[in-house]
């Protein structure tokens, strides 16, 4: 449902404002922030929309027809004043009417400031809030996926913002179809075991058991995804199961992952960017949450979020279980396999 937006300064071209979104990282949050794009496009169909992101994450946005330009910056940018000045010149030449800073960090605010224009950003405890012309609280419903980005988009545009969405073009679908055929993969379940903070990990020993149980239920085979830094852990998981498991960890490009996950019958993952990509391409997903606050609704595709209890605030920063992460251990593989069978309707 649309709402009345707050007043933005009149753009140079009333029908085609120039908009810059600043969300530098991380992968999952960039996927979440994609929920802004449909609302912005609906409100301003002729807008020129650019997105500023770190080069290591920007590939997930490539080919999105709702974005006119993805501007990549290196992670080393902030170590070089000369590079920052060059970026400032490049951004000012584009002339942005409005800059939407949706990360709330000092670094993202700095780049928004370099871009010029009228700047709207998230309120946070990070310094340099005064560089923003308007600050917005991270609103929305906490249970909804990507709620803060959807709330931001609705506030500035007045249009309803749906869940995250990553379009996939026909050429990429054909590329992945060819790779699946070469691997003999007709139907498969995608598993995404890897994430950043230790409290978000499902116990490593649970993954081989889950793959085995899925095979016993007649589900699968499983295909495992992750980044190059996850290869060692992936090799251990693959070695620990005799059930069918294709290990593609570190073997896929970031731009390919949406098409891979879209091809899966089902995805199972922890609180990680790959799980969020699966939801954004409308694949049925099982998301395993522990000490991070789970989203439980708002997806377009079938979604089963599993957690033992809502996390308490102290656990997010200072676990009280001596590093056992009991909240994740309580999600035993038998429960997850049963949920997979139910979600697939088999």
């Amino acid at each position: 449902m649309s709402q009345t937006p707050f007043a933005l300064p009149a753009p140079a071209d009333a029908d085609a404002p120039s908009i810059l979104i600043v969300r530098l990282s991380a992968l999952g949050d960039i996927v979440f922030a994609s929920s802004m794009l449909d609302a912005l496009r609906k409100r301003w169909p002729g807008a020129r929309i650019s997105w500023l992101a770190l080069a290591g994450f920007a590939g997930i946005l490539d080919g999105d027809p709702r974005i006119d330009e993805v501007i990549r910056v290196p992670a080393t940018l902030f170590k070089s004043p000369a590079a920052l000045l060059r970026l400032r010149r490049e951004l000012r030449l584009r002339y942005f009417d409005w800059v939407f800073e949706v990360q709330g960090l000092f670094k993202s605010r700095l780049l928004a400031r370099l871009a010029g224009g009228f700047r709207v950003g998230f309120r946070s405890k990070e310094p340099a809030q005064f560089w923003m012309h308007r600050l917005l609280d991270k609103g929305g419903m906490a249970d909804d996926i990507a709620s803060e980005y959807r709330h931001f988009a609705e506030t500035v545009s007045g249009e309803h913002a749906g869940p995250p969405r990553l379009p996939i073009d026909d050429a990429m679908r054909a590329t992945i179809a060819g790779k699946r055929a070469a691997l003999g993969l007709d139907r498969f379940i995608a598993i995404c075991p890897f994430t950043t903070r230790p409290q978000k990990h499902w116990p490593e020993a649970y993954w081989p058991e889950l793959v085995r149980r899925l095979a016993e239920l007649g589900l699968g085979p499983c295909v495992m995804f992750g980044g190059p830094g996850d290869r060692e852990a992936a090799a251990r998981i693959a070695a620990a199961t005799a059930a069918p498991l294709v290990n593609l960890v570190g073997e896929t490009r970031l731009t390919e992952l949406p098409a891979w996950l879209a091809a899966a019958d089902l995805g199972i993952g922890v609180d990680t960017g790959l799980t969020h990509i699966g939801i954004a391409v409308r694949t049925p997903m099982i998301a395993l949450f522990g000490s991070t606050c789970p989203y439980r609704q708002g997806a377009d595709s079938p979604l089963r979020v599993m957690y033992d209890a809502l996390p308490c605030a102290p656990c997010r920063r200072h676990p009280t279980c001596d590093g056992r992460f009991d909240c994740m251990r309580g999600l035993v593989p038998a429960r997850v396999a049963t949920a997979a069978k139910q979600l697939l309707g088999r």
Side-chain angles (χ1 to χ4, degrees):
M1 183 176 181
S2 299
Q3 63 180 21
T4 303
F6 70 75
L8 291 164
D13 184 339
D15 297 322
S18 180
I19 301 170
L20 176 66
I21 298 171
V22 180
R23 177 74 215 193
L24 303 175
S25 62
L27 179 59
D29 276 289
I30 289 177
V31 173
F32 284 159
S34 71
S35 59
M36 301 173 59
L37 293 168
D38 285 332
L40 298 180
R41 278 287 173 212
K42 184 175 181 181
R43 176 65 178 83
W44 299 287
R48 177 169 64 88
I49 298 178
S50 303
W51 193 308
L52 185 66
L54 291 178
F57 300 100
I60 197 65
L61 300 170
D62 285 346
D64 192 320
R66 300 168 297 176
I67 303 174
D68 295 288
E69 181 185 23
V70 179
I71 304 171
R72 290 165 160 79
V73 296
T76 57
L77 173 73
F78 300 97
K79 298 180 180 179
S80 171
L84 286 168
L85 287 174
R86 285 195 299 272
L87 178 63
R88 181 184 184 277
R89 286 194 295 271
E90 293 171 9
L91 294 175
R92 294 296 175 104
L93 286 173
R94 289 168 169 83
Y95 185 80
F96 294 108
D97 295 299
W98 309 321
V99 177
F100 299 149
E101 188 279 304
V102 290
Q103 191 151 4
L105 297 179
F106 172 79
K107 290 180 178 180
S108 52
R109 286 173 179 161
L110 171 61
L111 299 193
R113 176 67 180 85
L114 295 181
F118 185 84
R119 298 176 292 281
V120 185
F122 276 138
R123 193 185 311 277
S124 73
K125 295 180 180 179
E126 289 274 322
Q129 294 192 67
F130 62 90
W131 282 339
M132 300 295 107
H133 294 103
R134 290 287 299 269
L135 290 168
L136 298 180
D137 292 320
K138 293 186 177 181
M141 297 179 62
D143 280 358
D144 276 2
I145 185 170
S147 60
E148 64 266 41
Y149 303 103
R150 298 165 72 173
H151 176 74
F152 188 105
E154 290 172 357
T155 301
V156 298
S157 72
E159 299 290 345
H160 170 72
R165 184 169 68 88
L166 294 175
I168 306 167
D169 62 32
D170 292 340
M172 183 57 74
R173 290 185 190 274
T175 296
I176 299 309
K179 294 187 176 186
R180 287 171 52 207
L183 292 167
L185 290 171
D186 181 15
R187 311 184 71 169
F188 69 94
I189 293 176
I191 61 171
C192 309
F194 309 109
T195 183
T196 50
R197 290 172 286 169
Q199 61 265 40
K200 297 201 294 182
H201 280 275
W202 205 38
E204 186 176 299
Y206 283 8
W207 289 103
E209 183 181 348
L210 175 64
V211 172
R212 177 182 63 80
R213 287 181 177 274
L214 291 172
E216 290 173 352
L217 290 170
L219 308 178
C222 290
V223 179
M224 180 164 51
F225 296 95
D230 304 315
R231 283 194 174 107
E232 186 176 333
R236 291 195 301 267
I237 292 172
T241 181
L245 174 62
V246 178
N247 181 6
L248 292 185
V249 173
E251 303 301 322
T252 54
R253 293 184 291 116
L254 182 58
T255 52
E256 296 176 335
L257 286 171
W260 267 112
L261 288 164
D265 289 347
L266 172 72
I268 303 173
V270 291
D271 183 6
T272 181
L274 294 180
T275 301
H276 311 326
I277 290 172
I279 294 170
V281 297
R282 292 165 170 73
T283 294
M285 295 295 298
I286 295 176
L288 310 177
F289 278 84
S291 65
T292 50
C293 188
Y295 48 76
R296 290 173 284 180
Q297 60 185 22
D300 274 346
S301 57
L303 172 64
R304 175 76 182 273
V305 178
M306 302 186 71
Y307 57 95
D308 259 5
L310 287 176
C312 61
C315 188
R316 297 182 198 174
R317 296 183 179 272
H318 306 289
T320 57
C321 59
D322 297 323
R324 295 188 308 272
F325 304 118
D326 296 331
C327 53
M328 292 300 273
R329 292 186 178 278
L331 296 173
V332 295
R335 289 176 57 191
V336 180
T338 299
K341 183 178 179 180
Q342 293 170 345
L343 196 56
L344 287 172
R346 297 190 221 166

